[in-house]
Amino acid sequence: MSKKNLVAQGLEGLKAETAQRVSRIPRAADANRDPALPQQFQPTEAPAIALVPVTFETSALDGMDQAQQVETLEAAYWDADRAEVRSFQLAKMRGSVLKGELLGLLLERRAHDHRGLTVGDYAESLGIKRQYVYDLIGAAEDIRVLAPLIEETTTPVVASQAAVLAPIYRADPEAAGLVLQAAKDSGKLSAASLTEAARDLGLLAPATAPAPKPAPSVPLSPSDAASRLAFADAYKAFAPKRIEELVLQDPGAVLEHAEAIEAEITKVQRRVNAARKAAQKALGSDA
């Protein structure tokens, strides 16, 4: 056999041996698997998708008049808007569940003690506040409770919405479904629309009206001023802040009160002067 053929045969044998060795190397079933996480938290293989959506096919508008084209494009816009909101809510919901459950496991295993920290300091090390740790744990529990309703209606909910729906669902799953549908029918799914829907259905107590702000004190009326006026009363009645508020309400009334009190002050001043003269006269006669 020629030297050239021997070299070629040797190379083929080396390639075969290398391939055999590589084939014996064990490979993970899921290259993305993290052995530190439980099975339910392992990432799943997602189908390859385009990160940038495809362009709207304008050929779909062929043969339409202007009105039909506008209606078609507007419908596509609102579809995109709903898809955006749903995608955001879905991501938020999944994040809340996973983070909340992981935080619960970390607290159960006293990760903060392991790190030599308090719960608050441990939360800070994760970039969140102590209360938010418990908020996320509670949100994960609420969303897990609502899982059947979420799956049935294909409607993801975020933490604030789950906080409204979960207590209703625990008491009456059917009623929770009615609340969710009513909130969606209102045009915007939010914690506020869920709360309003629950109140409309009699599942939550009506909102209590806020206490009215106390009205600013009214200066003494002319009759009151005549009967009980004193310099202290006049000074208090015309405090700058009070007068500022009253002038905005009724400047004419302020002038009326000012004139009435000024007249009473003049009377009091006359009596003060008369009393002073009488006292000075008495002192002079005693001297």
Side-chain angles (χ1 to χ4, degrees):
M1 183 179 292
S2 67
K3 183 177 179 181
K4 182 177 180 181
N5 290 338
L6 285 172
V7 171
Q9 185 177 359
L11 289 174
E12 290 297 328
L14 182 60
K15 288 180 181 178
E17 184 180 355
T18 302
Q20 188 177 8
R21 289 179 181 176
V22 171
S23 67
R24 290 197 294 266
I25 297 175
R27 296 189 179 185
D30 185 351
N32 294 325
R33 180 178 174 80
D34 186 344
L37 293 178
Q39 178 60 36
Q40 63 267 35
F41 300 129
Q42 293 296 338
T44 57
E45 284 292 336
I49 58 172
L51 296 181
V52 179
V54 296
T55 303
F56 178 83
E57 287 292 341
T58 55
S59 59
L61 304 176
D62 293 346
M64 297 182 181
D65 59 25
Q66 183 182 18
Q68 291 172 324
Q69 290 183 13
V70 169
E71 290 175 1
T72 301
L73 289 170
E74 286 179 343
Y77 171 82
W78 289 117
D79 284 343
D81 185 69
R82 283 189 292 270
E84 178 186 35
V85 171
R86 188 177 184 280
S87 297
F88 170 77
Q89 286 198 312
L90 180 60
K92 287 287 289 182
M93 182 183 73
R94 291 176 59 85
S96 295
V97 171
L98 293 177
K99 291 196 295 183
E101 290 181 346
L102 288 170
L103 286 170
L105 292 171
L106 285 167
L107 287 189
E108 286 178 10
R109 287 153 179 76
R110 305 193 68 79
H112 50 288
D113 287 343
H114 175 69
R115 299 297 184 190
L117 300 170
T118 64
V119 174
D121 290 337
Y122 185 67
E124 293 285 347
S125 74
L126 298 175
I128 56 179
K129 298 295 184 182
R130 183 178 187 274
Q131 183 56 48
Y132 191 50
V133 171
Y134 298 104
D135 290 344
L136 278 172
I137 293 172
E141 294 173 353
D142 287 341
I143 293 171
R144 284 295 185 199
V145 166
L146 293 169
L149 180 62
I150 292 169
E151 296 293 342
E152 179 185 352
T153 61
T154 64
T155 305
V157 295
V158 296
S160 60
Q161 297 163 5
V164 177
L165 269 181
I168 300 172
Y169 188 87
R170 288 184 176 98
D172 187 342
E174 185 177 350
L178 293 175
V179 170
L180 178 59
Q181 187 59 51
K184 292 169 65 176
D185 291 344
S186 71
K188 181 178 181 182
L189 178 60
S190 64
S193 65
L194 286 167
T195 301
E196 184 177 356
R199 285 179 178 147
D200 290 343
L201 293 170
L203 300 171
L204 288 179
T208 55
K213 294 182 179 180
S217 301
V218 179
L220 298 172
S221 66
S223 59
D224 290 335
S227 61
R228 52 181 290 270
L229 178 73
F231 283 103
D233 293 325
Y235 184 81
K236 183 177 180 181
F238 281 85
K241 185 64 177 178
R242 182 179 299 175
I243 290 300
E244 181 181 341
E245 295 174 355
L246 292 170
V247 165
L248 292 174
Q249 296 178 16
D250 190 349
V254 174
L255 287 176
E256 180 184 349
H257 291 312
E259 291 172 358
I261 291 177
E262 186 177 26
E264 293 302 319
I265 290 174
T266 302
K267 293 178 183 178
V268 172
Q269 188 63 56
R270 289 173 183 169
R271 294 183 181 182
V272 169
N273 291 338
R276 182 182 291 114
K277 289 179 181 179
Q280 289 173 343
K281 185 177 180 181
L283 290 173
S285 61
D286 290 343

